[in-house]
């Protein structure tokens, strides 16, 4: 039997080919890694300088930094290490903190001595951002996998998130008619929800099906009755009836299924009573009573429900002390700084900055009207883009055929949608100016015009991402639903959309992140660069945070171009992170549900 004799020339060529391939792969891997590191470092340096300017950290004394590190940062790190309960993590963290302190001090001093002084930074601030902040984030991540820190972060998230949602809802009611909402809720929303709950409880499909028509009829009737009905309760009572009480009732239902009616009444009733009392006391003190009521209700009820669940489970109860630990650290640091006379920074981003109107004086400049405008605009954009984008993607993927004339039309539409995603934003601004401002007469720079323009801007991105999420749903699930006798709509509603929802949320997050920072379309549709009072309706003249920051950047004073602008950028990032965080939580909940 003949055998093949190895050819030395072929083996040598194969070896050389493998060597070249490995070299190219090695170079590509490390070039990609270097590009990623360079981009992250550049972004980190930008954020560091923006934070330094916004919080005036350049004027923070080392004693001030040391005080708050000992009273606030060290207890938080100890809490995370206690939750992680891992000696290896503790050793790594202490080694990084101690070694990083020496390394940063030596390297920073050497750079300033040999190369050049680094503006607005010292080695203490460099250590804070380069070592302390990453180690804190790492320990928070590791600690969150333990039950104690998971409970603490969950409680902290509900406190902060509830307050943010309450402020956002109160902001939306600055332009939306509370009286229309009162009638719509009383005549439409409440009866519709009652019918739906009754149908689910009694397994009555007719009642559950009638919930939507009844609700729509009530909402339509409310718009006509708004001008007929002349006597209404106060805004405080309206918010108590339409928001605070339903939130408390929902919390009571959640607790009653687990702990019984008595505990449910206590868990929901106590925060509701506190919110109502706080609202009436705020009215007497001259504070915005409806907003106080909303913040207390939307913070207190979810917090009470969460605490009751943790206490009943008995695991990680110690974590409920995290907010108290952080509050005690802030108070102790403030007392020590005041008692010792430690020089403290004078941050530009303070309560007055987010509650006052713009000014020609840097120390008195505020961002409140622009914050209100951005919150209202992005809320409208989120609703419009999500509804239109998801509806379009469902129709194209689930209802349009793939062959024939309609199939060709579908492919043509998808090509055009992909092309629309690459059009510059200024073109959408011109479209909004001609279509919404001039042709339809919605006004120049109003919330309706701006929201519709930005919705068109991000609609192609939303549609494309939603289509990809729907395509990722396996066809076996659709065929299984069809085999059980479900209609196409039932398959789409009960099978396809729940599976695709996490991907849809991801695309929506990316699209809204683009919309909230756009400036060119706002300029084209006539949005004001500066307004001095919060809008009172959807057709009032609006400004937004990017517009106000852009206007401040052109002011000649250095305090505007550095401190005030930096504080505006940090505020915009905080709102963007909060919005994205909410969407991410909804996406993660949808993934767990699936």
């Amino acid at each position: 039997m003949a055998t093949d004799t190895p050819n030395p020339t072929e083996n040598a060529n194969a070896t050389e080919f493998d060597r070249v391939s490995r070299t190219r792969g090695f170079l590509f891997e490390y070039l990609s890694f270097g590009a990623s590191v360079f981009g992250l470092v550049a972004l980190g340096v930008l954020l560091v300088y923006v934070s330094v300017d916004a919080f005036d950290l350049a004027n923070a004394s080392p004693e001030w930094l040391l005080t708050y590190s000992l009273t606030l940062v060290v207890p938080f790190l100890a809490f995370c290490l206690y939750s992680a309960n891992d000696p290896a993590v503790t050793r790594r963290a202490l080694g990084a903190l101690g070694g990083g302190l020496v390394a940063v001090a030596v390297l920073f001093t050497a750079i300033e001595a040999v190369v050049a002084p680094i503006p607005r930074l010292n080695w203490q601030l460099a250590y804070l951002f380069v070592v302390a902040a990453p180690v804190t984030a790492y320990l928070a991540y590791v600690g969150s996998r333990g039950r104690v820190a998971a409970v603490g972060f969950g409680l902290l998230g509900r406190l902060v998130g509830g307050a943010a949602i309450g402020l956002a809802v109160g902001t939306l009611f600055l332009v939306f008619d509370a009286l229309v909402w009162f009638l719509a809720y009383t005549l439409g929303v409440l009866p519709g929800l009652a019918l739906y709950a009754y149908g689910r409880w009694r397994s009555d499909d007719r009642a559950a099906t009638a919930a939507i028509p009844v609700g729509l009829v009530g909402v339509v009737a409310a718009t006509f009755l708004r001008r007929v009905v002349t006597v209404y309760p106060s805004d405080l009572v309206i918010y108590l009836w339409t928001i605070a009480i339903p939130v408390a009732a929902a919390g009571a239902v959640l607790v009653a299924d687990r702990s019984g009616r008595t505990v449910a009444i206590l868990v929901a009733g106590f925060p509701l009573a506190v919110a109502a009392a706080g609202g009436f006391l705020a009215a007497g003190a001259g504070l915005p009573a409806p907003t106080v009521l909303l913040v207390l209700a939307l913070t207190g009820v979810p917090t009470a429900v969460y605490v009751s669940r943790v206490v009943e489970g008995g695991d990680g109860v110690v974590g409920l002390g995290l907010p108290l630990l952080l509050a005690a650290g802030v108070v102790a640091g403030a007392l020590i700084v005041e008692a010792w006379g430690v020089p403290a920074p004078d941050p530009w981003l303070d309560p007055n900055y987010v509650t006052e109107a713009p000014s020609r004086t840097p120390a008195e400049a505020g961002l409140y009207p622009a914050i209100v405008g951005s919150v209202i605009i992005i809320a409208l954009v989120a609703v419009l883009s999500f509804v239109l984008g998801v509806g379009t993607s469902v129709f194209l993927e689930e209802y349009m055929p793939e062959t024939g004339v309609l199939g060709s039309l579908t492919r043509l539409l998808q090509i055009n949608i992909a092309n629309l995603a690459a059009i510059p934003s200024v073109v959408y601004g011109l479209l909004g100016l001609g279509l919404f401002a001039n042709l339809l007469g919605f006004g120049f720079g109003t919330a309706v015009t701006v929201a519709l323009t930005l919705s068109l801007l991000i609609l192609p991105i939303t549609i494309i991402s939603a289509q990809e999420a729907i395509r990722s749903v396996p066809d076996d699930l659709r065929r299984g639903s069809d085999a059980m006798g479900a209609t196409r709509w039932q398959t789409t509603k009960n099978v396809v959309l729940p599976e695709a929802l996490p991907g849809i949320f991801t695309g929506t997050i990316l699209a809204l992140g683009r919309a909230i920072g756009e400036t060119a379309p706002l300029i084209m549709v006539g949005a004001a660069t500066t307004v001095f009072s919060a809008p009172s309706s959807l057709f009032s003249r609006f400004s937004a945070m990017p517009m106000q920051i852009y206007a401040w950047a052109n002011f000649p004073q250095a305090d505007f171009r550095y401190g005030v602008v930096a504080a505006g950028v940090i505020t915009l990032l905080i709102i963007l992170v909060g919005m994205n965080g909410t969407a991410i939580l909804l996406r993660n909940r949808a993934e767990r549900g699936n």
Side-chain angles (χ1 to χ4, degrees):
M1 182 176 62
T3 57
D4 293 334
T5 303
N7 189 335
T9 304
E10 292 181 358
N11 291 339
N13 291 337
T15 302
E16 184 66 23
F17 177 77
D18 292 341
R19 186 182 300 114
V20 172
S21 298
R22 285 196 299 270
T23 302
R24 291 177 178 175
F26 176 82
L27 291 175
F28 178 78
E29 178 183 356
Y30 280 89
L31 284 175
S32 300
F33 175 75
S36 301
V37 171
F38 178 79
L40 292 175
V41 169
L43 178 61
V45 170
L46 175 62
L47 292 178
V48 165
Y49 272 102
V50 169
S51 301
V52 168
D53 290 338
F55 296 102
D56 194 33
L57 294 179
N59 295 322
S61 64
E63 295 82 4
W64 185 86
L65 293 173
L66 179 62
T67 299
Y68 277 100
S69 296
L70 294 176
T71 61
L72 186 61
V73 178
V74 171
F76 177 74
L77 295 180
F79 174 84
C80 294
L81 290 173
Y82 172 78
S83 176
N85 193 21
D86 188 343
V89 172
T90 303
R91 287 194 299 269
R92 286 197 297 267
L94 294 179
L97 291 172
L101 179 64
V102 176
V104 169
V106 172
L107 184 61
F108 192 91
T109 304
I111 291 175
E112 288 203 319
V114 176
V115 182
I118 301 177
R120 303 200 304 279
L121 279 181
N122 51 40
W123 73 264
Q124 293 92 347
L125 285 177
Y127 173 76
L128 174 66
F129 287 107
V130 174
V131 178
V135 171
T136 302
Y138 169 73
L139 291 181
Y141 169 73
V142 174
S144 65
R145 292 190 283 182
R147 180 60 181 169
V148 173
V151 169
F153 294 154
L155 178 59
L156 198 63
R158 281 160 177 80
L159 290 171
V160 176
I165 294 174
L167 290 173
V169 173
T171 300
L172 293 177
F173 275 111
L174 292 175
V175 295
F176 291 106
D177 193 345
L179 304 183
V180 173
W181 162 244
F182 168 73
L183 293 174
Y185 174 81
T186 305
L187 301 178
V189 176
L190 185 59
L193 290 176
L195 272 176
Y196 182 78
Y198 176 80
R200 293 292 298 270
W201 180 43
R202 292 290 189 180
S203 299
D204 187 348
D205 292 338
R206 291 179 299 177
T209 304
I212 295 179
V214 169
L216 291 176
V217 170
V219 171
V220 173
T223 59
F224 290 100
L225 292 176
R226 169 65 178 86
R227 300 178 181 179
V228 177
V229 179
T230 57
V231 179
Y232 293 94
S234 64
D235 287 346
L236 187 62
V237 175
I238 289 176
Y239 295 155
L240 181 65
W241 163 244
T242 60
I243 297 178
I245 291 178
V247 169
V253 170
L254 292 175
V255 176
D257 292 339
R258 185 179 63 248
S259 305
R261 294 183 180 179
T262 303
V263 177
I265 293 174
L266 290 175
V267 167
F270 180 72
L272 181 62
V274 171
F280 285 108
L281 291 175
L287 299 175
T291 302
V292 172
L293 171 69
L294 292 172
V295 170
L296 292 177
L298 293 174
T299 303
V301 174
T303 300
V305 172
Y306 182 74
V307 170
S308 69
R309 187 177 68 187
V310 172
V311 171
E312 183 181 356
D315 186 15
V317 178
V318 178
L320 296 176
L322 177 60
L324 297 178
L325 179 68
L326 297 178
V330 172
V331 172
L335 292 176
I336 293 173
V337 165
E338 184 176 358
W340 288 358
V342 176
D346 184 18
W348 294 98
L349 183 56
D350 56 9
N352 289 331
Y353 183 82
V354 296
T355 57
E356 298 294 336
S359 172
R360 287 285 178 179
T361 304
E364 299 176 357
L367 198 61
Y368 175 70
I371 293 174
V372 173
S374 288
V375 170
I376 292 170
I377 289 170
I378 207 64
L380 293 174
V381 171
V383 173
L384 291 172
S385 62
F386 185 81
V387 173
L388 295 176
V390 174
T392 303
S393 61
V394 169
F395 180 75
L396 291 175
E397 290 297 322
E398 298 296 321
Y399 288 91
M400 289 293 285
E402 297 180 357
T403 59
V405 177
L406 291 179
S408 301
L409 178 60
T410 301
R411 289 190 292 272
L412 179 62
L413 288 175
Q414 292 185 351
I415 291 173
N416 283 289
I417 290 172
N419 290 332
L420 288 174
I423 291 178
S425 59
V426 67
V427 177
Y428 284 99
L430 291 172
L431 175 62
L433 176 65
L435 178 61
F436 302 125
N438 290 325
L439 182 62
L440 299 180
F442 290 148
F444 295 94
T446 62
V448 177
T449 301
V450 172
L452 290 172
T453 303
L454 292 179
S455 297
L456 286 182
L457 171 66
I458 67 172
L459 193 58
I461 304 174
T462 308
I463 293 173
I464 292 172
S465 60
Q467 282 185 283
E468 293 298 328
I470 292 172
R471 287 173 191 164
S472 66
V473 178
D475 286 335
D476 293 342
L477 296 179
R478 295 180 176 89
R479 303 292 79 81
S481 179
D482 295 340
M484 296 178 66
T487 63
R488 178 176 292 184
W489 162 240
Q490 289 173 330
T491 300
T492 302
K493 178 173 68 77
N494 299 322
V495 177
V496 176
L497 286 180
E499 289 290 331
L501 202 56
I504 293 173
F505 275 131
T506 301
T508 305
I509 292 170
L510 297 174
L512 291 178
R514 179 185 178 185
I516 196 173
E518 284 289 347
T519 305
L522 275 64
I523 295 175
M524 299 307 300
V525 299
T529 55
T530 300
V531 293
F532 295 96
S533 61
S536 58
S537 73
L538 292 177
F539 294 94
S540 300
R541 194 73 181 274
F542 266 66
S543 184
M545 286 185 287
M547 292 291 295
Q548 186 63 69
I549 294 170
Y550 170 77
W552 279 335
N554 294 319
F555 280 21
Q557 298 98 317
D559 286 342
F560 270 113
R561 289 185 284 109
Y562 290 101
V564 178
V565 167
V569 171
I570 294 295
T571 306
L572 180 61
L573 288 177
I574 291 173
I575 293 178
L576 177 61
V577 169
M579 179 185 69
N580 288 350
T582 303
I584 290 170
L585 289 176
L586 293 175
R587 183 192 65 189
N588 293 341
R589 184 176 293 274
E591 289 177 346
R592 289 195 299 269
N594 292 336

